[in-house]
Amino acid sequence: MDDGWLRRALAQKRDGAALDDATWDRIVDGYVKGEIDDAPVAALAMACTIRGMADAEIFALTGAMVRSGDTIVFPAGRIVVDKHSSGGVGDTVSLVAVPLVAACGVPVAKLSGRALGHTGGTLDKLEAIPGVRTDLEPAAFVAQVEAIGCAIAAQSERLVPADQKLYALRDRTATVPSVGLIAASIVSKKIAGGAGAIVFDVKAGRGAFMHTIAEARVLAETLVRLAAAFGRRASAVISDMEEPLGAAVGSGIEAVEARDFLRGDERDPRLSEAVFAVVHEMLRVGGIAEREIETRALDTLQSGAAYERFAQLVRAQGGSPGALDRIAAHPHRATATAARGGVVTAIDAAAIGELARDATVADGPFAGIRILARVGAPVRAGEALAECAGPSLDPFAVARAFTIGVQAPPARNLVEAVVRDELPAAVELRR
Ligand code: URA
Ligand code: CA
């Protein structure tokens, strides 16, 4: 095969020029079919990572990726919302927001991923509930959203096969952290999954992909512009991942935390703030008038309707009767304590995530860590920092993820900014 066109395209991209739509199409198509091998695509990914990508290129790449596989279609006239998180530790927002938004009258069709590295996966959390399945066929996924207003399912391998191949190549070639490639990867999967409106929860901090707020902001704005270019209402919430989001970190224990939150037994204030920011945007892009959003969300939570919707989702996806009420953290408990007195100045979210994930592998899905002392909290020597559920967890290793100093660090906003699709340009609402 004469691939002079491909070599010339790579040279163009290497030198900083943008590739046209037809070239992106031809590359994605050829790569998925196996007519183009890894070498030129790896070189292209590196050129994109170093040189950046124009909006038109990201749009062309995303479209070509969507066309590489099947797409899910919801009945005409139904705007279903999806929510994407860029990955975090103790990020239980989806399990709470999906049923809450559905119970507010906006259908949610959530495609989720599994745990990756130190970050948790919504599918693992949901599947910890006995009987629950997430491998829904597209027809069953659509039917469940029609019937009860929400579903949480695994991304099928038939959706965006180009992303699976490209992501694996990027992982091997140090080309994951390219804003354009990340945006195309995320948005192509949401479009193929049938989302009519999308909310992105972009994390910033040590526990996230994007370490600084400035980097997170660039990704958030790119995601919103890209979704809008496909005619999708969109918002991005930029939120802090310097320390774990909710109190619970694990898989099943995060489902317990979501249940307790929805039922009103216990609501971690940080998780609550993140949930309400994301829910607000999901209702907005789902077409609820701004002035109605807050009361509708609060009423739906307080009335128990959101909890009931979560129970319905669990039953619809195979959960055993009573399973949701019975789940509880692993009964083996130990306490991680402060070696000295002072103030918690940092909690290494990545380390907590890794320890919790190892514990779920060793001790089962309901093992994990419950954060008791947050950044900024004063602690005495010997005071509890975290509760460890599961015999394999070493409380001393958990305690080492906490830095104790003499002075509280400057307070960080949990929700740093919200980027919306309001025309003509995406505007940012600083809080
Ligand atoms: N998540 C994705 O789905 N794709 C990326 O490229 C990065 C994070
Ligand atoms: Ca299961």
Side-chain angles (χ1 to χ4, degrees):
M1 180 184 155
D2 170 21
D3 48 10
W5 68 273
L6 181 54
R7 183 167 36 77
R8 286 188 290 276
L10 292 177
Q12 245 186 306
K13 189 73 217 170
R14 176 199 62 205
D15 295 341
L19 303 184
D20 63 22
D21 295 8
T23 304
W24 282 109
D25 254 346
R26 205 169 161 189
I27 291 171
V28 170
D29 191 56
Y31 188 49
V32 171
K33 287 182 177 148
E35 294 162 7
I36 297 176
D37 67 358
D38 283 345
V41 181
L44 177 63
M46 186 58 85
C48 289
T49 304
I50 294 171
R51 287 290 192 177
M53 297 172 74
D55 274 6
E57 291 188 284
I58 305 172
F59 182 73
L61 171 61
T62 306
M65 287 171 70
V66 171
R67 290 189 294 277
S68 74
D70 292 353
T71 51
I72 294 176
V73 181
F74 285 90
R78 291 280 265 172
I79 298 277
V80 304
V81 178
D82 196 352
K83 176 240 166 207
H84 176 271
S85 163
S86 65
V89 177
D91 183 357
T92 313
V93 171
S94 288
L95 289 186
V96 176
V98 169
L100 174 52
V101 169
C104 286
V106 170
V108 188
K110 170 105 185 77
L111 290 176
S112 285
R114 300 214 172 258
L116 187 66
H118 65 269
T119 67
T122 296
L123 299 181
D124 305 295
K125 300 172 196 180
L126 196 59
E127 285 178 352
I129 303 168
V132 170
R133 295 178 35 204
T134 59
D135 55 340
L136 308 183
E137 286 296 321
F141 181 62
V142 171
Q144 186 178 317
V145 174
E146 288 295 295
I148 65 164
C150 55
I152 299 177
Q155 174 82 36
S156 134
E157 289 183 2
R158 295 193 303 273
L159 297 186
V160 202
D163 180 61
Q164 293 161 44
K165 216 171 157 179
L166 198 52
Y167 194 89
L169 181 69
R170 288 166 56 210
D171 198 27
R172 286 167 57 209
T173 55
T175 53
V176 170
S178 146
V179 167
L181 297 178
I182 292 173
S185 166
I186 292 171
V187 173
S188 63
K189 287 178 285 197
K190 295 298 162 200
I191 304 257
I198 312 165
V199 173
F200 305 99
D201 189 1
V202 179
K203 308 294 189 188
R206 263 179 289 187
F209 252 122
M210 299 287 149
H211 288 195
T212 68
I213 288 159
E215 290 171 320
R217 192 185 306 274
V218 172
L219 177 58
E221 289 171 352
T222 305
L223 287 166
V224 169
R225 281 202 309 275
L226 181 58
F230 281 92
R232 267 57 172 190
R233 302 284 317 267
S235 280
V237 175
I238 300 173
S239 63
D240 182 61
M241 195 42 76
E242 259 313 279
E243 62 179 303
L245 175 55
V249 184
S251 58
I253 66 167
E254 295 190 42
V256 173
E257 183 168 48
R259 177 202 63 193
D260 291 352
F261 189 104
L262 289 164
R263 215 161 57 177
D265 305 352
E266 192 171 359
R267 291 185 184 139
D268 179 82
R270 280 170 54 87
L271 181 60
S272 186
E273 189 182 346
V275 162
F276 278 101
V278 167
V279 164
H280 189 106
E281 295 310 307
M282 290 174 79
L283 293 175
R284 187 190 74 83
V285 299
I288 307 295
E290 188 72 47
R291 64 182 185 287
E292 283 182 35
I293 288 176
E294 204 166 318
T295 38
R296 193 179 304 196
L298 274 172
D299 290 351
T300 305
L301 185 63
Q302 302 301 4
S303 70
Y307 171 68
E308 181 45 39
R309 197 61 65 102
F310 188 42
Q312 269 184 311
L313 179 144
V314 165
R315 283 197 297 275
Q317 296 189 206
S320 328
L324 186 59
D325 287 323
R326 281 195 305 270
I327 55 173
H330 194 291
H332 184 286
R333 306 292 165 85
T335 306
T337 57
R340 60 192 184 98
V343 177
V344 178
T345 56
I347 304 174
D348 185 339
I352 293 283
E354 292 282 1
L355 289 164
R357 193 168 170 195
D358 288 349
T360 61
V361 172
D363 304 329
F366 289 94
I369 297 166
R370 198 173 166 77
I371 307 290
L372 300 175
R374 286 290 179 181
V375 170
V379 290
R380 283 170 281 109
E383 194 173 332
L385 299 172
E387 184 177 66
C388 307
S392 73
L393 272 169
D394 172 7
F396 293 101
V398 173
R400 280 194 293 276
F402 290 73
T403 306
I404 295 173
V406 289
Q407 202 182 343
R412 291 171 63 99
N413 291 331
L414 175 61
V415 175
E416 186 61 34
V418 178
V419 178
R420 290 179 167 173
D421 59 354
E422 282 156 357
L423 298 173
V427 300
E428 179 195 315
L429 305 171
R430 269 183 175 283
R431 312 238 313 190

